[in-house]
């Protein structure tokens, strides 16, 4: 019988699986899983892909499926530390012999991805993927999502004073990188500004997935730069009782963290619960944070935080699938560094979010449909910016979303299906710093995804069409006094709030419609059992966001005055409605991937080239405008201690569009030198420039990093060294950023306590107390990275 392999060419040493029982309608499918030395592998996962049935091997490496009909099946077998195995199996009534399946060792952990409807792992797709899970996730988790993920190749953080950061993927962030929770939009306002925190918690997540490059086929035009998917078990798919907890304290900001998650169930009813609490003070730095105040205190003011949240979920499990619902409450109060107007008035954001998710899967037994996956969500998000006990600005986002994926059984060798997607959001901002007017967005989409093996080639094809509407009924165009700093003007004459007086403001409605179309094609060629090479081509279109089009006002969190692409700067120096048509942003991306998937040494090398036509970006105009902030500074604020004549002014940034090119590479190498010692190395680089010349602002610098892990009995030690190169490839009005090296280390001791696996750990970050300013941050001149930090914690699994 002929063996069928997926594209990675994983090592298969077993012959075809032939099993039998007296009844052709109730066969038993069984076998044994071992390593290359013949040692049984316990807790290996075995899945019958077409039936979506999963089991685990026992201590002898044995597994059994009962009540399997006669026919041909593909088994998917995997275990931690080993390459995935895809084996063709045939169930017949005239043979009762089980087969032995041998898994080959893999130095790079191979993890399945939940973000896509079809099976995908980090070593099996034409699209580059990274996954952070297990002990690595717990060791790298931070208070913000961007800081949690920044050690992954191709991913950096826009670090915003330790309280708000989002991931930057290959130089792209904001509205181009979609952040999801179990495949549904997290639905906060973190894509509007870097000072807005992501409403998702890493400490309760099972794994976090990063799809690098366009992921528009699965998630839409908001994922033109990539996707970050936070996966948890809030809708449980098992009644097995298991869970974990963490208690931790840190020194650099006196942080206290407690978190837990637990899954259990009775009969066919499963239950899930998680919760967390975090409290921290302003963090310490190696030097005075503000480069203009070298004698200041070594503390970043307004970088404190208090967060808590809980999730409850339940599901009903049946033979063909499951259906379940979950509700989450997320609250966070955090300071806003740089959001200061004089005096000692504290400024913080008060974030509240309630999220409902309905998830399910049904596996069919007919001859056409294989399964249907559905996800539905409703999110009610709000955060207020509070100063001196008074609410200055309120942001809200109410979102409904539905995704339905219909997968068909193999037809002429093709596997895949169709995806239907709806999302509607109502974003509202009110107050003196509401720089974006209220708007409503609605999106309908249909996508087709297919793949097929042709010998050693795996071909992946996809297409997606969207209809996007953006409505805003009260867009404001104030009369703005924008000037250069050497202009002579009377501050008092213009110190009005441009949004207050009707004689200074034009108001009009905006109704925009877009039809983004995305196409993708990828091929993975299995060279041999250990190597594969892949190429992925995509053309992705994106509708600009409301903030990119409609903004007009001060954004104090980034210390800028933002003006959207719907406006333009006239020759007379006034801002007027733009006469340029609003076009879709279009990315033409090519990815080349070369991987070694098996053995004591493994590697993944990705090279990419992304040409983005009509790329929307903020460009500094060289002009300044009054912040319009109505705050009583008091007499001290106007004294000789630093309040100069321009202290209430902000640089004016105008959204524009131009053709851009981003290209670079990512490299990951892993070497399992012995059973106890493992070495990892990574490097990444991106060059982002305008096609007609000039660098894009806040581009991630080149990085080189290494990780050493040593285990001996119950002790594990980890050492990370990461070098960030100097960034001198800068845009107009930007300043260079010096390079720096971060050294982190940790040691963990495992203490088995009956049914609980307890770990005690001590970790240190930035052990050399290096001054590290993040080039991608709007606050790099006033909020460097934290100084030397030690964390002590206890982690338990049951």
């Amino acid at each position: 019988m002929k063996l069928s392999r997926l594209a990675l060419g994983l090592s298969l040493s077993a012959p075809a699986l032939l099993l039998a029982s007296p009844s052709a309608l109730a066969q038993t499918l069984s076998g044994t899983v071992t390593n290359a030395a013949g040692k049984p592998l316990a807790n290996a996962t075995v899945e019958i892909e077409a039936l979506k049935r999963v089991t685990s091997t026992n201590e002898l490496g044995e597994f059994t499926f009962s009540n399997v009909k006669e026919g041909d099946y593909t088994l998917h077998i995997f275990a931690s530390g080993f390459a995935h195995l895809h084996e063709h199996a045939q169930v017949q009534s005239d043979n009762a012999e089980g087969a032995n399946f041998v898994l080959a060792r893999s130095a790079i952990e191979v993890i399945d991805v939940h973000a896509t409807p079809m099976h995908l792992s980090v070593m099996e797709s034409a699209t580059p993927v990274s996954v952070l899970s297990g002990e690595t996730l717990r060791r790298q988790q931070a208070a913000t999502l961007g800081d949690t993920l920044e050690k992954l190749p191709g991913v950096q953080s826009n670090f915003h004073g330790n309280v708000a950061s989002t991931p930057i993927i290959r130089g792209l962030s904001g509205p181009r990188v979609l952040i999801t929770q179990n495949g549904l939009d997290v639905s906060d306002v973190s894509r509007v500004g870097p000072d807005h925190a992501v409403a998702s918690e890493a400490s309760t997540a099972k794994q976090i997935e990063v799809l690098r490059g366009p992921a528009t086929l699965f998630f839409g035009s908001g994922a033109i730069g990539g996707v970050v998917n936070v996966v948890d078990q809030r809708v449980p798919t098992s009644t097995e009782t298991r869970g974990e907890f963490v208690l931790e304290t840190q020194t650099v900001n006196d942080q206290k963290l407690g978190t837990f998650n637990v899954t259990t169930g009775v009969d066919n009813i499963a239950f899930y619960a998680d919760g967390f609490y975090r409290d921290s003070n302003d963090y310490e730095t190696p030097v005075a944070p503000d480069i203009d105040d070298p004698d200041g205190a070594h503390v970043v003011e307004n970088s404190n935080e208090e967060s808590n949240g809980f999730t409850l979920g339940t599901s009903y499990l049946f033979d063909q699938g499951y259906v379940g619902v979950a509700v989450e409450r997320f609250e966070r109060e955090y300071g806003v560094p740089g959001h200061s107007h004089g005096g000692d008035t504290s400024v913080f954001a008060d974030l509240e979010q309630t999220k409902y998710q309905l998830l399910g899967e049904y596996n069919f037994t007919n001859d056409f449909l294989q399964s249907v996956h559905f996800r539905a969500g409703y999110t009610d998000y709000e955060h207020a910016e509070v100063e001196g006990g008074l609410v200055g600005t309120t942001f809200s986002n109410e979102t409904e979303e539905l995704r339905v994926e219909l997968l068909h059984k193999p037809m002429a060798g093709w596997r895949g299906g169709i995806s239907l997607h709806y999302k509607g959001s109502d974003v509202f901002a009110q107050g003196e710093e509401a720089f974006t007017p209220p708007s409503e967005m609605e999106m309908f989409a249909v996508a087709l995804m297919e793949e097929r093996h042709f010998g050693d080639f795996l071909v992946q094809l996809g297409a997606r069409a969207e209809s996007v509407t953006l409505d805003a009924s009260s867009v404001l165009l104030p009369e703005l006094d924008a000037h250069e700093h050497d202009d002579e003007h009377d501050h008092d004459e213009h110190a009005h709030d441009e949004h207050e007086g009707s004689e200074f403001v034009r108001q009009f409605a905006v109704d925009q419609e877009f039809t983004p179309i995305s196409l993708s094609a990828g091929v993975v060629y299995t060279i041999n059992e250990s190597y594969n090479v892949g190429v992925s081509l995509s053309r992705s279109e994106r509708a600009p966001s409301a903030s990119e089009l409609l903004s007009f006002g001060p954004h104090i969190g980034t210390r800028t005055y933002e003006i959207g692409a719907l406006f333009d700067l006239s020759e007379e120096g006034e801002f007027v409605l733009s006469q340029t048509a609003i076009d879709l942003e279009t990315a033409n991306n090519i990815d080349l991937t070369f991987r070694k998937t098996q053995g004591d040494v493994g590697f993944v090398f990705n090279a990419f080239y992304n040409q983005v036509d009509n790329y929307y970006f903020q460009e500094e105009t060289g002009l300044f405008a009054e912040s319009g902030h109505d705050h009583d500074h008091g007499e001290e604020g106007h004294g000789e201690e630093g309040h100069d004549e321009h202290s209430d002014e902000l640089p004016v940034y105008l959204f524009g569009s131009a053709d851009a090119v981003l290209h670079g590479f990512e490299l990951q190498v892993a070497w399992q030198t012995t059973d106890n010692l493992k070495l990892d190395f990574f490097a990444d680089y991106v060059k982002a420039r305008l096609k007609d010349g000039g660098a894009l602002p806040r581009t991630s610098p080149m990085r080189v990093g290494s990780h050493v892990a040593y285990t001996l009995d119950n002790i594990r030690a980890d050492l990370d060294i990461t070098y960030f190169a100097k960034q001198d490839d800068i845009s107009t009005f930007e300043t260079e950023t010096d390079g720096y090296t971060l050294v982190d280390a940790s040691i963990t001791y495992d203490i088995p306590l009956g049914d609980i696996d307890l770990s005690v750990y001590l970790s240190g970050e930035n052990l050399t107390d290096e001054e590290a300013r993040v080039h991608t941050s709007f606050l790099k001149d006033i909020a460097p990275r934290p100084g030397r930090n030690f964390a002590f914690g206890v982690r338990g699994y049951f």
Side-chain angles (χ1 to χ4, degrees):
M1 185 191 69
K2 187 176 179 180
L3 182 69
S4 175
R5 296 183 305 199
L6 285 185
L8 293 183
L10 302 178
S11 174
L12 308 174
S13 65
L17 183 60
L18 302 173
L19 299 170
S21 71
S23 171
L25 298 179
Q27 305 301 319
T28 298
L29 178 60
S30 63
T32 304
V33 180
T34 67
N35 62 15
K39 182 180 178 181
L41 293 178
N43 297 318
T45 300
V46 184
E47 177 187 14
I48 303 177
E49 291 186 346
L51 303 180
K52 298 294 182 181
R53 294 182 58 182
V54 180
T55 189
S56 299
T57 57
N58 60 21
E59 294 296 326
L60 300 177
E62 300 168 340
F63 69 90
T64 300
F65 291 98
S66 59
N67 298 321
V68 182
K69 292 183 180 181
E70 292 186 11
D72 294 335
Y73 300 94
T74 298
L75 297 182
H76 177 206
I77 307 173
F78 56 94
S80 178
F82 292 88
H84 286 212
L85 182 67
H86 295 270
E87 174 78 24
H88 184 69
Q90 187 179 54
V91 177
Q92 296 179 345
S93 60
D94 58 354
N95 193 314
E97 181 183 355
N100 180 55
F101 299 89
V102 179
L103 297 186
R105 191 170 182 173
S106 176
I108 295 180
E109 190 73 13
V110 183
I111 304 172
D112 277 340
V113 177
H114 295 258
T116 58
M118 295 186 295
H119 171 259
L120 184 71
S121 79
V122 297
M123 303 293 274
E124 296 175 302
S125 170
T127 301
V129 185
S130 296
V131 178
L132 195 61
S133 68
E135 292 294 329
T136 305
L137 171 59
R138 293 294 169 251
R139 185 168 51 85
Q140 296 183 10
Q141 72 185 30
T144 64
L145 186 62
D147 298 342
T148 297
L149 298 175
E150 70 168 343
K151 289 183 180 179
L152 292 177
V155 183
Q156 295 198 35
S157 167
N158 69 353
F159 183 81
H160 200 84
N162 218 42
V163 294
S165 72
T166 54
I168 298 173
I169 302 178
R170 294 178 167 181
L172 299 177
S173 62
R176 297 178 182 87
V177 173
L178 182 64
I179 300 174
T180 62
Q181 187 109 30
N182 298 314
L184 296 172
D185 196 335
V186 74
S187 300
D188 51 25
V189 293
S190 61
R191 307 173 91 194
V192 175
D195 57 319
H196 299 161
V198 177
S200 184
E201 178 61 26
S203 67
T204 57
K206 174 186 175 183
Q207 65 185 47
I208 304 177
E209 306 161 349
V210 178
L211 279 66
R212 302 193 298 274
T216 52
L217 291 179
F218 304 113
F219 296 96
S221 62
I224 197 170
V227 166
V228 175
N229 185 41
V230 180
V231 180
D232 57 31
Q233 297 296 303
R234 64 181 56 197
V235 175
T237 57
S238 170
T239 59
E240 178 187 359
T241 299
R242 62 181 184 273
E244 65 174 308
F245 63 87
V246 176
L247 297 172
E248 182 183 280
T249 182
Q250 297 187 15
T251 60
V252 76
N253 56 0
D254 297 321
Q255 177 178 283
K256 308 294 187 297
L257 171 68
T259 179
F260 80 94
N261 66 77
V262 61
T263 302
T264 188
V266 178
D267 297 328
N268 287 18
I269 306 297
F271 302 97
Y272 174 85
D274 73 35
F276 78 96
Y277 175 80
R278 179 187 293 106
D279 180 74
S280 63
N281 297 325
D282 295 344
Y283 70 88
E284 300 173 354
T285 60
V287 297
D290 194 336
I291 60 174
D292 294 327
D293 183 19
D295 297 324
H298 291 200
V299 174
V300 174
E301 297 181 357
N302 255 15
S303 61
N304 57 314
E305 173 209 353
E306 184 175 359
S307 303
N308 67 85
F310 69 88
T311 305
L312 298 175
T314 184
S315 60
Y316 176 70
L317 313 179
F318 48 94
D319 290 341
Q320 286 77 35
Y322 72 93
V323 60
V325 64
V327 58
E328 176 194 16
R329 179 65 176 178
F330 184 95
E331 298 180 357
R332 192 174 193 212
E333 288 188 1
Y334 61 97
V336 185
H339 200 320
S340 176
H341 308 285
D344 297 323
T345 304
S346 62
V347 182
F348 66 93
D350 186 0
L351 184 161
E352 297 180 354
Q353 177 178 271
T354 303
K355 181 188 295 287
Y356 302 89
Q357 288 193 346
L358 173 67
L359 308 178
E361 177 181 319
Y362 188 89
N363 297 293
F364 295 92
T365 58
N366 61 42
D367 293 331
F368 178 69
L369 284 178
Q370 175 175 297
S371 63
V372 57
H373 307 254
F374 59 89
R375 300 181 178 93
Y378 170 78
T379 303
D380 185 8
Y381 171 95
E382 181 178 288
H383 96 244
E385 295 187 352
V386 183
E387 181 174 355
L390 300 177
V391 175
T393 308
T394 300
F395 296 86
S396 67
N397 184 3
E398 189 174 348
T399 303
E400 308 93 24
E401 186 173 9
L402 173 65
R403 291 180 60 189
V404 178
E405 292 148 356
L406 297 166
L407 303 183
H408 63 75
K409 291 188 176 179
M411 296 188 303
W414 289 94
R415 297 174 62 251
I418 190 171
S419 173
L420 305 174
H421 193 184
Y422 166 79
K423 181 163 59 177
S425 64
D426 187 353
V427 179
F428 180 80
Q430 184 177 28
E432 56 190 9
E433 293 173 16
F435 57 93
T436 301
S439 63
E440 296 181 5
M441 186 279 295
E442 196 168 46
M443 181 271 292
F444 295 90
V446 58
L448 179 67
M449 297 152 286
E450 296 289 338
E451 68 177 23
R452 183 183 174 183
H453 288 88
F454 294 90
D456 292 328
F457 292 87
L458 171 65
V459 177
Q460 298 174 326
L461 303 174
R464 180 183 174 108
E466 295 182 35
S467 173
V468 180
T469 60
L470 178 64
D471 298 325
S473 59
S474 57
V475 178
L476 304 180
L477 174 54
E479 180 181 313
L480 182 66
D481 172 33
H483 51 269
E484 296 180 356
H485 264 170
D486 56 0
D487 286 349
E488 293 184 3
H489 66 286
D490 185 348
H491 286 276
D492 293 332
E493 179 183 348
H494 299 285
H496 60 265
D497 185 349
E498 292 89 345
H499 293 195
E500 290 290 335
S502 60
E503 66 269 28
F504 301 115
V505 180
R506 291 178 57 193
Q507 181 173 318
F508 54 95
V510 171
D511 183 1
Q512 294 279 338
E513 293 187 13
F514 305 95
T515 308
I517 304 293
S518 298
L519 303 171
S520 177
V523 177
V524 180
Y525 171 60
T526 300
I527 300 173
N528 56 38
E529 292 181 345
S530 297
Y531 295 90
N532 69 60
V533 61
V535 59
S536 175
L537 301 171
S538 65
R539 178 180 174 83
S540 305
E541 294 182 331
R542 181 180 75 91
S545 67
S547 60
E548 291 173 309
L549 288 183
L550 311 177
S551 296
F552 205 118
H555 190 176
I556 308 299
T558 59
R559 303 178 8 145
T560 61
Y561 199 104
E562 297 188 4
I563 299 178
L566 199 64
F567 310 99
D568 203 353
L569 184 62
S570 69
E571 294 181 357
E572 292 76 22
E574 298 179 351
F575 286 95
V576 297
L577 284 176
S578 175
Q579 300 303 309
T580 304
I582 302 300
D583 294 326
L584 290 168
E585 186 176 276
T586 303
N588 299 282
N589 187 81
I590 180 171
D591 260 289
L592 300 175
T593 302
F594 182 42
R595 291 175 285 222
K596 184 177 186 296
T597 63
Q598 297 184 16
D600 292 332
V601 176
F603 63 80
V604 179
F605 176 75
N606 300 306
F608 64 92
Y609 183 91
N610 192 5
Q611 178 177 312
V612 187
D613 298 333
N614 205 43
Y615 179 90
Y616 287 90
F617 68 103
Q618 284 181 302
E619 188 171 18
E620 194 165 355
T621 62
L623 302 177
F624 293 82
E626 300 287 341
S627 69
H629 187 77
D630 185 17
H631 177 73
D632 184 9
H633 297 280
E635 294 300 325
E636 292 183 5
H638 295 278
E640 297 177 351
E641 298 187 26
H643 185 85
D644 61 38
E645 61 176 327
H646 302 303
S647 63
D648 286 331
E649 294 183 341
L650 300 172
V652 177
Y653 280 78
L654 176 65
F655 275 98
S657 63
D659 294 344
V661 174
L662 299 93
H663 59 88
F665 70 87
E666 299 122 11
L667 174 64
Q668 179 185 3
V669 180
W671 179 22
Q672 189 75 50
T673 59
T674 69
D675 289 339
N676 304 106
L677 181 63
K678 184 178 180 181
L679 307 178
D680 290 277
F681 168 86
F682 83 92
D684 56 24
Y685 169 77
V686 59
K687 183 176 180 61
R689 57 184 174 84
L690 295 174
K691 197 172 182 180
D692 293 335
L696 288 174
R698 290 176 297 281
T699 299
S700 309
M702 181 177 178
R703 293 185 306 171
V704 177
S706 62
H707 172 237
V708 181
Y710 181 76
T711 58
L712 180 64
D713 297 329
N714 293 347
I715 297 178
R716 175 187 172 107
D718 294 270
L719 174 66
D720 289 277
I721 302 175
T722 308
Y723 169 69
F724 292 74
K726 177 181 180 180
Q727 182 55 286
D728 54 8
D729 190 8
I730 57 177
S731 66
T732 308
F733 302 109
E734 257 194 311
T735 58
E736 297 181 357
T737 304
D738 292 336
Y740 54 90
T741 301
L742 297 180
V743 179
D744 305 331
S746 67
I747 185 168
T748 304
Y749 182 70
D750 297 330
I751 308 172
L753 294 176
D755 294 332
I756 298 178
D757 294 326
L758 194 67
S759 299
V760 179
Y761 62 91
L762 174 66
S763 65
E765 297 176 321
N766 193 7
L767 292 176
T768 59
D769 210 27
E770 181 98 343
E771 177 184 358
R773 298 187 182 272
V774 181
H775 183 77
T776 55
S777 172
F778 276 89
L779 304 183
K780 73 169 186 174
D781 291 336
I782 64 171
R785 291 180 184 268
R788 185 183 295 112
N789 178 39
F790 293 100
F792 175 76
V794 178
R795 184 164 52 236
Y797 300 90
F798 56 90

